């Protein structure tokens, strides 16, 4: 069942994507002073250019690679006297929104969704000025750092919506499956304003007749009740059946989509609908060279087709909250997702910065709220490769795990660690996830035959986990891989050739297939991706992370064929040629 805009499938909602007026303002005071944007009033700015929305300016030919402030401007019509909600599904790195030239709110959680209330006005036409800054500021953009191994873009990454509010309305409804066989669900809805007694709530399942739910518990903006799907069908990768719930308050309708499935950990196994699960997947950055993270529907669909061709049932959404459109398609196509909040090798200084920790918690909670109903999301993660072997990390990891469990007790929690031998936080995780690069980085693969290091290196990790009493949990290799320059072939099959990458991945896949202590793998990575030319430059030819099994234009390398041999149900077809 396809729904065009599940998140904003609501009355009086419309999409504001299109072409907006634009001005690149750069360094606002010419002093290189990063605080210039804090007090800047954009009302006098004349826009001399245009920009697509979604669209990032620093991937566009005119502003490629620039760092500075930019203004996106449009005007919309809202019925006079009515409030509205503006919703951005993802943007970065920092933004301030002005409505009718008045500053309204700041956004400082790159990649997260952002909802803003638009106050009513006597005028129908309203001006929207969105000031965006893609410069890295130690306090303003505390979640991102210049040493990250992926390019941080500036602009509107994802869809923009406007929803007019003409009375009581539901903002969000989280559906928890109580019994997938009988279709019993618990709904926790949130309204924009506190509920009033004289507006009855009605609901409809799968587009059926509206009924009045029984035993509705109301507390301010929160509404809770239980309901039963009339013809329940379980969701699974093989049969990704979906159901819908519509909540009606007055004349406002809000529809969300969900799936009936259970995910749980049972000793070292991960069970989906009580069946053991093997995760076969890749890590994926949401980006391509031409448009950065502002991928079109066509590009997202093509990526998912590529994943399916490989035979993947799993994707790790590295390293930030995912686009709702991507998750909608994973729901429809039966892909399983590890979704994580933004983080890349945070260090002790981060753990001891209360603002950083607050932001991680805020973004993690927001991610769960946004993605709660996607059956494809089977585990939550956070802080990729933090310095989690340090005592300073412990209160932080505990706090984030507690926040996740409070938001959602139904999904396993994990985090990708690159400290398997001295990790201090594994006891908090339901699934042990380890990033490891034997056979690639010399420190993990010394010696003349790096490929021979791979199996012993994985065994050493598993043995260490067993000795630490952690073999009672599912074990996921959350990253492993090798760089290959697309089109680079050589009879010696050395580092950077497609052949070496294919051989390394084959060794990994054979080990994963033959060792039942391994619950799954997310190969690093789906496709090549732009990164920075800094201290990493010599390990990142072309300023790209070249460990993709596809290049950045999604052309397959040799490794793609190897993966397909291991994972796909043989259809007799070969991968499309380069
Ligand atoms: C890390 C990191 C990835 C990527 C990878 C690599 O494990 O989590 O984002 O940088 O290393 O290519 O070295």
């Amino acid at each position: 069942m396809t729904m065009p805009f599940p998140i904003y499938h609501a009355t009086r909602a419309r999409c504001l994507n299109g072409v907006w007026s634009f001005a690149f303002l750069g360094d606002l005071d010419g002093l290189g002073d990063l605080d210039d944007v804090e007090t800047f009033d954009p009302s006098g700015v004349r826009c001399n250019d245009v920009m697509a929305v979604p669209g990032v300016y620093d991937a566009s030919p005119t502003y490629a690679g620039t760092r500075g402030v930019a203004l996106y401007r449009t005007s919309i019509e809202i019925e006079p006297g009515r409030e509205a909600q503006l919703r951005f599904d993802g943007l970065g790195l920092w933004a301030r929104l002005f409505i009718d030239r008045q500053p309204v709110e700041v956004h400082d959680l790159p990649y997260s969704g952002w909802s803003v209330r638009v106050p009513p006005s006597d005028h129908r036409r309203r001006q929207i000025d969105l000031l965006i800054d893609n410069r890295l500021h130690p306090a303003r953009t505390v979640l991102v750092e210049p040493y990250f191994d992926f390019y941080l873009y500036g602009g509107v990454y994802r869809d923009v919506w406007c929803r007019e509010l003409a009375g009581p309305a539901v903002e969000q409804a989280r559906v928890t499956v109580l019994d997938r066989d009988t279709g019993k669900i618990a709904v926790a809805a949130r309204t924009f304003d506190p509920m009033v007694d004289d507006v009855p709530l009605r609901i409809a399942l799968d587009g059926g007749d509206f009924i009045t739910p029984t035993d509705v518990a109301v507390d301010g903006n929160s509404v809770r009740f239980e309901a039963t799907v009339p013809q329940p069908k379980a969701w699974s990768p093989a049969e990704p059946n979906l159901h819908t719930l519509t909540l009606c308050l007055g004349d406002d309708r809000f529809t969300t989509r969900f799936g009936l499935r259970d995910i749980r950990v049972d000793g070292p196994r991960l069970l989906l609908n009580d069946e053991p699960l093997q995760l076969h997947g890749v890590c994926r950055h949401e980006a391509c060279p031409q448009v950065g993270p502002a991928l079109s529907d066509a590009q997202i669909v093509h990526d998912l087709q590529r994943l399916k061709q490989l035979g993947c049932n799993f994707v790790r959404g590295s390293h930030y909250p995912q686009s709702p459109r991507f998750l909608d398609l994973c729901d429809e196509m039966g892909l399983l997702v590890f979704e994580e909040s933004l983080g890349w090798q945070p260090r002790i200084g981060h753990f001891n910065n209360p603002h950083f920790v607050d932001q991680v918690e805020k973004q993690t909670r927001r991610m769960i709220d946004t993605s709660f109903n996607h059956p494809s999301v089977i585990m939550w993660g956070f802080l990729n490769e933090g310095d989690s072997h340090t005592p300073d990390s412990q209160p932080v990891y505990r706090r984030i795990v507690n926040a996740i469990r409070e938001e959602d007790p139904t999904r396993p929690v994990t985090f990708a660690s690159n400290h398997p031998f001295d990790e201090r936080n594994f006891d908090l995780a339901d699934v042990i996830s380890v990033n490891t690069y034997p056979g690639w980085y010399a420190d993990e693969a010394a010696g003349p035959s790096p490929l021979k290091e791979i199996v012993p290196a994985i065994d050493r990790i598993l043995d260490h986990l067993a000795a630490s009493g952690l073999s009672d949990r599912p074990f996921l290799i959350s990253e492993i891989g090798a760089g290959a320059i697309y089109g680079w072939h050589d009879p010696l099959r050395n580092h950077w050739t497609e052949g070496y990458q294919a051989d390394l991945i084959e060794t990994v896949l054979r080990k994963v297939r033959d060792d039942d202590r391994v619950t799954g793998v997310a190969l690093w990575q789906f496709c090549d991706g732009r990164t920075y030319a800094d201290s990493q430059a010599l390990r990142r030819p072309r300023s790209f992370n070249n460990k993709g099994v596809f290049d950045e234009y999604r052309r397959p390398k040799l490794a793609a064929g190897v993966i397909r041999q291991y994972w796909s149900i043989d259809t007799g077809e070969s991968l499309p040629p380069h």
Side-chain angles (χ1 to χ4, degrees):
M1 188 183 329
T2 305
M3 289 172 64
F5 309 126
I7 293 281
Y8 271 74
H9 203 73
T11 312
R12 287 177 285 270
R14 61 189 186 272
C15 187
L16 302 183
N17 292 0
V19 177
W20 292 24
S21 302
F22 180 82
F24 182 69
L25 308 169
D27 176 11
L28 294 173
D29 57 11
L31 300 173
D33 168 8
L34 295 182
D35 292 331
D36 50 2
V37 73
E38 302 277 348
T39 50
F40 185 71
D41 172 6
S43 53
V45 172
R46 233 189 101 253
C47 286
N48 55 356
D49 208 343
V50 291
M51 192 58 63
V53 169
V56 295
Y57 47 101
D58 46 2
S60 78
T62 313
Y63 309 100
T66 50
R67 294 267 156 213
V69 180
L71 179 67
Y72 289 68
R73 176 177 287 162
T74 193
S75 69
I76 56 172
E77 290 193 357
I78 297 176
E79 189 67 29
R82 254 191 208 161
E83 260 195 287
Q85 177 198 30
L86 277 187
R87 165 92 189 170
F88 298 85
D89 279 345
L91 71 168
L93 297 174
W94 179 94
R96 171 167 276 144
L97 182 71
F98 296 75
I99 310 240
D100 301 330
R101 301 179 177 77
Q102 294 305 310
V104 188
E105 218 178 274
V106 159
H107 175 78
D108 54 8
L109 299 173
Y111 290 95
S112 282
W114 181 32
S115 289
V116 184
R117 292 283 282 266
V118 180
S121 155
D122 297 341
H123 302 283
R124 182 174 295 275
R125 187 152 287 282
R126 315 292 298 273
Q127 180 164 324
I128 297 178
D129 285 312
L130 181 66
L131 202 58
I132 295 196
D133 192 353
N134 70 349
R135 297 169 303 178
L136 294 151
H137 182 283
R140 210 162 51 225
T141 53
V142 73
L143 289 181
V144 289
E145 294 284 354
Y147 63 73
F148 278 20
D149 190 14
F150 58 95
Y151 199 89
L152 296 160
Y153 291 92
V156 182
Y157 300 176
R158 300 173 184 156
D159 299 336
V160 184
W161 306 91
C162 174
R163 181 175 170 198
E164 289 187 37
L165 304 173
V170 172
E171 185 181 9
Q172 172 64 313
R174 298 184 186 190
V175 178
T176 300
V177 179
L178 299 178
D179 184 332
R180 71 168 193 280
D181 295 328
T182 59
K184 196 166 175 205
I185 55 172
V187 181
R190 190 170 67 236
T191 52
F192 282 97
D193 295 307
M195 285 279 280
V196 281
D197 293 341
D198 56 348
V199 183
L201 170 73
R202 289 174 306 136
I203 61 161
L205 284 145
D206 294 335
D209 293 341
F210 277 97
I211 54 165
T212 302
T214 47
D215 296 330
V216 179
V218 176
D219 183 9
N221 297 47
S222 138
V223 184
R224 290 171 184 272
F225 59 89
E226 291 181 2
T228 302
V229 179
Q231 288 175 314
K233 284 190 184 158
W235 183 95
S236 69
E239 286 187 48
N241 297 305
L242 293 163
H243 295 282
T244 63
L245 167 71
T246 301
L247 294 97
C248 179
L249 268 187
D251 78 340
D252 184 85
R253 288 185 185 190
F254 175 92
T255 299
T256 188
R257 197 171 63 168
F258 60 97
L260 298 169
R261 62 109 186 87
D262 293 321
I263 179 78
R264 64 191 170 87
V265 163
D266 178 28
R269 295 181 312 168
L270 200 53
L271 302 183
L272 183 84
N273 300 341
D274 303 325
E275 298 287 331
L277 197 57
Q278 269 287 319
L279 299 175
H280 293 162
V282 292
C283 300
R284 173 180 175 271
H285 270 298
E286 194 163 67
C288 79
Q290 303 96 320
V291 295
L295 300 186
S296 66
D297 286 359
Q299 288 170 305
I300 298 175
V301 168
H302 296 178
D303 280 4
L304 281 156
Q305 288 175 348
R306 284 302 202 196
L307 291 170
K308 284 281 186 185
Q309 284 172 344
L310 291 182
C312 292
N313 64 359
F314 178 56
V315 52
R316 174 170 173 226
S318 49
H319 298 297
Y320 32 76
Q322 298 294 287
S323 138
R325 283 187 185 263
F326 174 71
L327 295 178
D328 284 339
L329 283 162
C330 290
D331 293 344
E332 288 174 21
M333 294 170 76
L335 264 292
L336 304 165
V337 181
F338 166 161
E339 189 176 16
E340 65 190 10
S341 49
L342 184 54
W344 202 85
Q345 298 189 353
R347 299 163 179 168
I348 292 175
H350 294 97
F351 301 144
N352 293 322
N353 175 353
H355 180 49
F356 173 81
V357 184
D358 286 350
Q359 292 289 87
V360 173
E361 179 177 341
K362 195 166 151 194
Q363 184 177 61
T364 308
R365 285 185 187 272
R366 198 175 291 182
M367 168 180 81
I368 296 171
D369 189 54
T370 308
S371 303
F372 197 89
N373 293 347
H374 291 286
S376 55
V377 177
I378 54 158
M379 60 180 100
W380 303 118
F382 60 97
L383 295 183
N384 171 62
E385 293 192 346
D387 275 355
S388 46
H389 57 311
T390 61
D392 302 56
S393 69
Q394 288 175 287
V396 178
Y397 277 58
R398 183 163 298 281
R399 178 168 151 192
I400 304 304
V401 169
N402 286 345
I404 296 174
R405 295 200 197 284
E406 194 179 292
E407 294 288 334
D408 181 7
T410 72
R411 287 174 173 95
V413 181
T414 192
F415 58 87
S417 166
N418 59 342
H419 298 284
F421 299 105
D422 52 357
E423 174 61 57
R424 283 176 177 261
N425 296 290
F426 274 154
D427 59 319
L428 299 171
D430 300 310
V431 174
I432 305 289
S433 296
V434 171
N435 295 354
T436 181
Y437 284 88
W440 183 250
Y441 291 124
D443 44 344
E444 290 178 69
S449 316
L451 289 177
K452 295 210 175 97
E453 281 296 309
I454 294 168
V455 169
I458 296 173
D459 282 336
R460 273 196 300 277
I461 295 172
L462 284 162
D463 292 347
H464 178 80
L465 293 173
S468 317
L470 290 162
S471 51
D472 61 338
R473 303 172 198 208
F475 172 74
L476 172 71
I477 302 176
S478 38
E479 286 184 29
I480 194 162
I485 303 293
Y486 175 75
W488 181 243
H489 298 274
D490 184 272
L492 271 64
R493 291 176 92 86
N494 275 334
H495 279 56
W496 299 112
T497 61
E498 288 196 22
Y500 184 78
Q501 183 195 40
D503 293 345
L504 185 144
I505 285 183
E506 169 145 39
T507 312
V508 170
L509 298 188
R510 201 175 322 115
K511 172 71 176 161
V512 169
R513 184 194 62 195
D514 296 343
D515 192 331
D516 60 9
R517 296 172 298 173
V518 185
T519 304
V521 61
L523 298 167
W524 186 264
Q525 62 174 332
F526 170 62
C527 70
D528 293 347
R530 190 183 295 287
T531 186
Y532 292 100
D534 56 9
S535 55
Q536 282 265 38
L538 296 181
R539 309 208 305 185
R540 298 287 180 267
R542 314 183 298 132
S543 300
F544 272 69
N545 185 312
N546 297 287
K547 298 190 190 73
V549 296
F550 297 94
D551 78 348
E552 64 273 25
Y553 300 106
R554 281 56 172 173
R555 295 175 297 188
K557 301 181 192 170
L558 284 180
V562 170
I563 298 170
R564 201 177 144 89
Q565 275 169 19
Y566 274 78
W567 286 350
S568 80
I569 302 154
D570 192 7
T571 57
E573 297 163 36
S574 56
L575 259 192
H578 293 191

